[in-house]
Amino acid sequence: MSNPQQLRYSKEHEWLSSAEDGVSTVGITEHAANALGDVVYVQLPAVGDTVTAGETCGELESTKSVSDLYSPVTGQVVEANQDVVDDPSLVNSAPFEGGWLFKVKVADEPGDLLSADEYTAFAS
């Protein structure tokens, strides 16, 4: 498993891109996608929703289980990935590319996000 170095990670297994114009992209890690198994349903926060760091903001359902989706930051959702809603398998096949989940205008970022190396150690 190779976690991209430019991303930051939560202990709930979400990743966060660096903010571009205050907007970051959120997804789940390859580790989480593998643990879930084949994702068959994705419920994402809607555009305009406010998400709070560490709180549930959606749901991922797989052939194995249902898992809550947690926001790694606080902010307002500016885009949800409709491609993932239409084809949930993107979460498994491309968790760091086309399988991203939503974009958020970051209002507050917790100080406990992990680097790629810290997340790799945490997840193993």
Side-chain angles (χ1 to χ4, degrees), residues 48-117:
D49 283 357
T50 298
V51 293
T52 302
E55 292 191 9
T56 304
C57 64
E59 188 175 272
L60 301 169
E61 185 177 324
S62 72
T63 54
K64 291 182 181 179
S65 66
V66 175
S67 180
D68 287 332
L69 172 64
Y70 296 90
S71 181
V73 294
T74 298
Q76 185 174 32
V77 176
V78 297
E79 185 178 351
N81 188 351
Q82 188 60 44
D83 291 342
V84 165
V85 173
D86 295 341
D87 182 6
S89 70
L90 287 171
V91 171
N92 298 103
S93 64
F96 297 113
E97 294 90 26
W100 61 274
L101 300 176
F102 63 94
K103 294 185 180 186
V104 59
K105 178 109 175 131
V106 178
D108 186 46
E109 186 176 308
D112 62 351
L113 293 176
L114 307 172
S115 70
D117 292 339

Side-chain angles (χ1 to χ4, degrees), residues 8-15 72 112-114 119 122:
R8 284 161 295 146
Y9 302 85
S10 75
K11 290 184 177 179
E12 288 81 26
H13 306 286
E14 281 81 26
W15 58 261
D112 62 351
L113 293 176
L114 307 172
Y119 177 75
F122 169 76

Side-chain angles (χ1 to χ4, degrees), residues 7-51:
L7 302 176
R8 284 161 295 146
Y9 302 85
S10 75
K11 290 184 177 179
E12 288 81 26
H13 306 286
E14 281 81 26
W15 58 261
L16 179 74
S17 72
S18 296
E20 229 176 88
D21 295 327
V23 175
S24 290
T25 303
V26 175
I28 66 164
T29 64
E30 183 176 11
H31 173 82
N34 290 339
L36 275 170
D38 295 333
V39 176
V40 296
Y41 174 77
V42 176
Q43 185 231 331
L44 301 175
V47 172
D49 283 357
T50 298
V51 293

